[in-house]
Amino acid sequence: MDRKDNVSVTVIRRLPKYHRYLGDLIEKGVERISSQEFSALIGFTASQIRQDLNNFGGFGQQGYGYNVKDLEKELSRILGLHMNYNAVVVGAGHLGQAISNYKGFEDAGFNIIALADTDPAMIGKELHGKPVVDFNELPKYMKEHDIKIGIITVPKTQAQAVSYKLIQGGATGIWNFAPTDITVPGEVVLENVRLNDSLFVLSYFLKEADAKRGQSKK
Amino acid sequence: MDRKDNVSVTVIRRLPKYHRYLGDLIEKGVERISSQEFSALIGFTASQIRQDLNNFGGFGQQGYGYNVKDLEKELSRILGLHMNYNAVVVGAGHLGQAISNYKGFEDAGFNIIALADTDPAMIGKELHGKPVVDFNELPKYMKEHDIKIGIITVPKTQAQAVSYKLIQGGATGIWNFAPTDITVPGEVVLENVRLNDSLFVLSYFLKEADAKRGQSKK
């Protein structure tokens, strides 16, 4: 399959949505879809869909459209969902436990095999079958268990120090839930989840909607 | 303060980052900052910063830059963080509990006062001081407690039904964590958190980085 280099991050960020909609179509038994039909469903223009997918080779066929199963399989491959990574969640609090226990991540090839914390009361425990390891011994543990992915769920003041420790343990990827920007070496892949930012955007539009309704807030 | 109508969503989505960096500057005791200095810090161009903020009135002063505290206060107001909303988390699982227990959301004016679930074993319990109410009686509970915000943490197959129930209870805003697109009436504000999408993007860049390193994956 041909693939253009330097596909823009904006395009990459749209791929999971294509993948999600294709999965829904498969569940509904739909076998093929035109870019026009796909457009009406997903809310991107047909031309954008064609452009986006052309970055990775042409999947559609003139007069036929896209084969749903084939396209989903291709997108899974492009997204690297066939790969397997061992991961550790740093921070065994509520969010860390929620993430470590969420089955959906396994479908993406991320196997969370442990949590790490500094709290002596937590270290050595098992949470939903996963051990809580001593944060200070994390680099050693990561190397022993071939863990390449770290998921950061600690408070923002500790996030940078945690990322250093993860990289010391050989992390090639970090998924950061702490509401702060961390710095990592260029070869380490960093993806941030900004729950606060998302809530602030909700807050903005709520305020705008309230103003439109002309209501005064309680 | 002058304010242009129809500020683009792209600009709105940048505002929380400005707000976050301004908060960090305040913590560090920085009183004023030029758009050039702010640019170096936040990674947007100085001209973009000026453009973004000009949508809401001009906050900078020629030769002075921005007053950090004033700008932070203005952005808080623009984002509606001074407002107060009562919220309910639907789905009392791990993610729902993590969200209901996260203090950061109160700073944004969202007071989570209850969780809702269909599980008889959960209904009537208290989780971290918050009651778990019967999902089927949620509209009544929402009206009695002036709850306008619903946070959806149920599996994707149930998300749409949950949103109907929330709207029945008078919800004006929905924060959706279910990995699916839900439909809401135009006057209801919907913000999605796409944890799976974020993880898929991480997966993509990990695959790309692995390919660059020329390693074969285990």
Side-chain angles (χ1 to χ4, degrees), chain A residues 21 78-79 181 203 207 218, chain B residues 21 78-79 181 203 207:
Chain A
Y21 273 80
I78 291 164
L79 287 167
D181 284 340
S203 175
K207 187 204 65 173
K218 78 182 176 69
Chain B
Y21 273 80
I78 292 163
L79 287 167
D181 285 340
S203 175
K207 187 205 67 174

Side-chain angles (χ1 to χ4, degrees), chain B residues 14-139:
Chain B
R14 279 197 289 267
L15 297 184
K17 188 170 180 181
Y18 287 113
H19 185 267
R20 178 153 41 89
Y21 273 80
L22 289 165
D24 289 347
L25 287 170
I26 289 172
E27 276 179 23
K28 284 176 189 147
V30 177
E31 288 180 10
R32 64 172 178 164
I33 194 164
S34 68
S35 49
Q36 285 76 13
E37 292 165 327
F38 205 16
S39 165
L41 198 64
I42 202 168
F44 304 147
T45 65
S47 119
Q48 171 150 70
I49 292 172
R50 283 189 300 265
Q51 265 184 7
D52 282 353
L53 298 179
N54 275 342
N55 281 299
F56 305 95
F59 301 121
Q61 289 165 45
Q62 200 80 36
Y64 177 88
Y66 297 102
N67 177 305
V68 172
K69 264 192 193 158
D70 288 354
L71 184 55
E72 196 266 355
K73 209 181 285 178
E74 277 301 324
L75 277 175
S76 292
R77 220 189 46 74
I78 292 163
L79 287 167
L81 305 186
H82 57 297
M83 302 179 123
N84 274 295
Y85 299 96
N86 289 338
V88 61
V89 173
V90 184
H94 291 282
L95 182 60
Q97 290 189 39
I99 291 169
S100 73
N101 202 46
Y102 182 57
K103 302 290 170 233
F105 301 148
E106 282 172 22
D107 301 337
F110 291 85
N111 310 310
I112 299 172
I113 62 172
L115 298 91
D117 210 294
T118 51
D119 181 357
M122 298 295 285
I123 295 166
K125 273 197 180 174
E126 284 223 340
L127 295 172
H128 311 287
K130 287 160 190 168
V132 181
V133 303
D134 184 347
F135 175 71
N136 291 307
E137 291 172 18
L138 186 56

Side-chain angles (χ1 to χ4, degrees), chain B residues 192-212:
Chain B
N192 294 297
V193 177
R194 302 275 184 220
L195 294 185
N196 273 306
D197 288 17
S198 172
L199 194 67
F200 284 14
V201 170
L202 177 65
S203 175
Y204 173 87
F205 286 111
L206 284 169
K207 187 205 67 174
E208 294 292 294
D210 278 353
K212 257 189 205 161

Side-chain angles (χ1 to χ4, degrees), chain A residues 54-166:
Chain A
N54 276 342
N55 280 300
F56 305 94
F59 301 119
Q61 287 165 48
Q62 201 81 35
Y64 177 89
Y66 297 102
N67 178 306
V68 172
K69 264 192 193 161
D70 288 353
L71 185 54
E72 195 266 356
K73 208 181 286 177
E74 278 301 324
L75 276 175
S76 293
R77 221 188 46 74
I78 291 164
L79 287 167
L81 305 185
H82 57 298
M83 303 180 121
N84 274 296
Y85 300 97
N86 288 337
V88 61
V89 173
V90 184
H94 291 284
L95 181 61
Q97 289 188 40
I99 291 169
S100 73
N101 202 46
Y102 183 59
K103 302 289 170 236
F105 301 147
E106 280 171 24
D107 301 336
F110 292 85
N111 311 311
I112 299 172
I113 62 171
L115 297 91
D117 209 295
T118 51
D119 180 358
M122 297 295 285
I123 296 166
K125 273 196 181 173
E126 286 222 341
L127 296 172
H128 311 287
K130 286 159 190 171
V132 181
V133 304
D134 184 347
F135 174 70
N136 292 306
E137 291 172 19
L138 185 56
K140 188 167 162 274
Y141 188 88
M142 288 174 70
K143 284 169 189 166
E144 284 168 1
H145 293 81
D146 193 24
I147 296 175
K148 297 288 185 198
I149 310 297
I151 304 172
I152 300 180
T153 70
V154 299
K156 67 173 183 171
T157 49
Q158 297 159 37
Q160 185 64 61
V162 166
S163 77
Y164 290 140
K165 191 77 90 176
L166 286 167

Side-chain angles (χ1 to χ4, degrees), chain B residues 159-199:
Chain B
Q160 185 65 61
V162 167
S163 77
Y164 290 141
K165 191 76 92 176
L166 286 168
I167 290 160
Q168 203 186 325
T172 58
I174 290 179
W175 204 25
N176 175 39
F177 282 75
T180 188
D181 285 340
I182 58 177
T183 307
V184 297
E187 69 274 17
V188 174
V189 179
L190 171 68
E191 170 74 11
N192 294 297
V193 177
R194 302 275 184 220
L195 294 185
N196 273 306
D197 288 17
S198 172
L199 194 67

